[in-house]
Amino acid sequence: MKFTDASTVRSSIDSRMNMGAPSSYFKWVLPVVALFSVSSLPAPEPLLDSLAGITLSAFLDRAVEAFVVGDFLLADELFDQLEVRFGSEPEFQDDEFQRATLPVRGYVALANGSSRAAVDHFERFLEKFGPASRQRRFVLFSLAQAYAEIGKRERALQTYQSVEAEYPGSGEAAMALLRRCEIQFELNRFDEAFRDLNLFYESEAAFSLRLQARLRALRAALDSGRKGLGAEILLQTEWPFSSMPEVAVLAFAALEAGDFLLDTGEPAKAIRAYRYVPEKHTLVALQERRLAGLRSSLNRRQERGSDAPARVWMQHYQGIAAAVESQLDSLKEAEDYTPAFLLRFGQAFLLAERYREAAIVFQSLAEDRDAPLRMRRESHYRWVLSFQARDRWDEALLIARDYLNAYPDSELAPSVLFLIAKAYQGQDRYEDAVEVLDSLIVDFPGHRWVAQWIFTRGFCRLLNGEYAVARGDFSEYTTRFSEGLLRVNAQLWHSLTYFYERDYDSALYGINALLGEAESHHLLPEIKYRRASVLYARREYEAALRAIDDFLSSYEETHRAAEARVLRGDILMGQGELMGAAVAFSQVTPEAGPLYPYAVFQTGKIHRAREDYPRMVAHFNAYVTRAAAEYRPRLSEALYWIGWAHDQMGRGHEALPIFARVLREFGNDRSATEILLTLRAFGKLSARLENRSVGAPEVVEDFEDWLQAERSRAMHSARLTYYSRLSLYLADTYRKGGRDHVADLLILEIVETVPLRDLDAAGLGKVGQVLAGLGFPSAEEHFETLLSEFPASSERAVAFYGLARIHFQDGEYPEALGFLERFGGETPTHVLAADAAILEGEILLRTGRPESAIENMEELLRIKSARGRPHARALTLIAQARIQLGELEKAIAYYQRVYSLYQAYPDLVALSYVESALIFEELGDLEAALSTLVEMLGRADLKAQDDAVRALAARDRLAARVDALKRMNSASSQEEIVR
């Protein structure tokens, strides 16, 4: 063989084995020999026999041909035979020949699984030709692979590092790092491997290679138990999910990482991880598309030819296709992971307070008839939870009922019934909730949630105003479950039931006892805050101030802080420290929500009490002129007080436009308050300014005419809320003038023309009162609308009292007492409080509870603000209670107090005269009875009272009896004298 022939062969091999193939070729082919499609067969003996006698050049051509077509077994044998036959010849020993063939022989041996032979060929090449060879990069990389395969992993690491050091930025260097990290994982050098993979990911290498490094790090972290690191890698990487061939590897890694994050209390991060997990059928479709794309690429490469680079890339894609196909087959055969995954995905949304998404996921699984029954049931249950968490009680209730219909015998049935009770509670249907809880406690006495049921029943009863019964539940909880998680909660609510009943002594006793037990409990701030509230309610202002200051010094950042600042202001007001209270209220910011306007208006009340009208105007002006986007309710009320303060300062010409503005801008605003007060102030001020001849465009000459005209304009423009307010004001005016029938006609006109939805809280209450007085059934509807649509209005007191009176008149005393309890618990300071107390006393008498009636009326007598008719009426009720108890002399004393001290109420005075006279008669003191009636009938102011008729009849009867008795006594005396 001539040297030129050898050069030609070397060039041919170079073109195939040197850098002629793209560098990315080495990324897959060399380090992952298993990806090659090696289908070569052992060379048949006749073929070797046919090579006998041929030249070295021809023999070499046959070996190269076998290599090019991928028949590595044959190529390996041919190269070995080549050395056996021509190894001693000069051409074979020639450096150029060896430079060309040794790398090929090493690669063929490596591809054929003869790794030790490959090491020998590569080491001989490097020893003979050193760093000067253009093939050194390929040889070093392949040698490192061969070292790894024969177990010399330290040598492999060193060789890979040489590739990285000598050829930075090349594809071989990148693959060397990846392969080196694989060996480090095998040697348990995890920290080194993760560090190097991370550095590589942050390098300038090709994105596909960096992504491979990231995916390998992710999988290695999870496989080695470093799930936190794996989750971190997953979430810190942007994965091109739609184009990754390894989508299944990523999906299952994300599933594992998401489960870890969910179990360790990081649901928001778990959601991000689960985003990379498609349902099984979707993942199968994705894998099928990936496989189809790889096969299409293979077909295109086959069409372009079979030269060495094309053959190499074809083998590369064949390997990838085989891996993806294997993953796809495994995925199809595996059990469907989707239901379990969706259940955890929904739970992650639920725990992350993303309730809408949670409901969507749980609903999809609950309605999937192909999902396992157990998971459908569990998902349906959590579907209910998702709606409850959003306070969507109606939907939660429907879904819960559907669950019981679908799975009546489920072990979760008690839990679902409890959810139904919670839904009723959320709907304020407390009696329904208690009924469900009662059945749960009776039917499942040993259930693990029975303690929770008892506590919840107590809480529902508390919310329903059944304080004594609620205390029973809380007491049962603390007795039966002394180590229960809600023990402190139950003790606190037990004490607060007394607070709501205004039994502040018992409430304080319970809270003080609880303080020592709850020293390290999370409710300690709440307990301390409640203690300050009770002290304030007891008017122990000094102690309350110390308590609330102690609270604020320790818990200024808690959710109660704003309420505590408001309470501190109220305490200081109670002490008369008005400016200190104003400072306390000024510390309440708009972020405090409804507490902020309360503080603003309390401060205004302080300025009003101090008659500091300029400061009052400045204060409310600052509130009114805040940015429109900021929280500032009760604007109409603030404007009214600005106008009122101007009027107090004698600036009527400044006040009048403000009152006009309130009526113009807020007259038809159903939520606006102070409109009736504004109308009154507007009318008085207009008259005064007109009399003083002060020019102001808002002055009206005849206010009643203006009211009528304004009513017409409001009706014409369909401003029905404003119309109703004007009519109510006019009705009040007529009623004060003694024209009650005209006032009632105006109220009935409102009923005919204004829908309930357009009446404000005051309108619903006033119209309801008139309708109730006239005996119209629609009064009840007005009161119920007031309660449902204005749950925070003080006018609820009118509805509570009105509904109580309706039930009283119908003889439904328990229902009446229920509304009166709500009156006392929710609106105790309303002007109707005395009337409510009187009505409660009447009910107690009718239901045979005179002692309770006396106790309630004695409490009313101690209230200074109830002096006058309420006190007089209370005395008559106490007298009736004493009669029921058989204490007739005491009853007379109470009646005598009425007709001696309360002359301004002739109807009650007349009643007391008659009733005391009848008691005297019953006691046999006819002269006292008669003189009492004579005294009554001698009073001109009592002759027109209804009881005057009874008094006349009783007087005549008693006069006859007394006269007869006198005659009989006189006759007896004469007879005695005769004897």
Side-chain angles (χ1 to χ4, degrees), residues 329-340:
D329 291 342
S330 299
L331 186 60
K332 288 180 177 179
E333 293 173 4
E335 183 180 352
D336 189 2
Y337 62 86
T338 303

Side-chain angles (χ1 to χ4, degrees), residues 722-740:
Y722 187 37
Y723 169 82
S724 69
R725 286 165 165 167
L726 293 163
S727 299
L728 287 169
Y729 180 82
L730 197 56
D732 284 345
T733 302
Y734 290 146
R735 207 173 297 281
K736 288 174 183 176
R739 302 165 67 186
D740 287 350

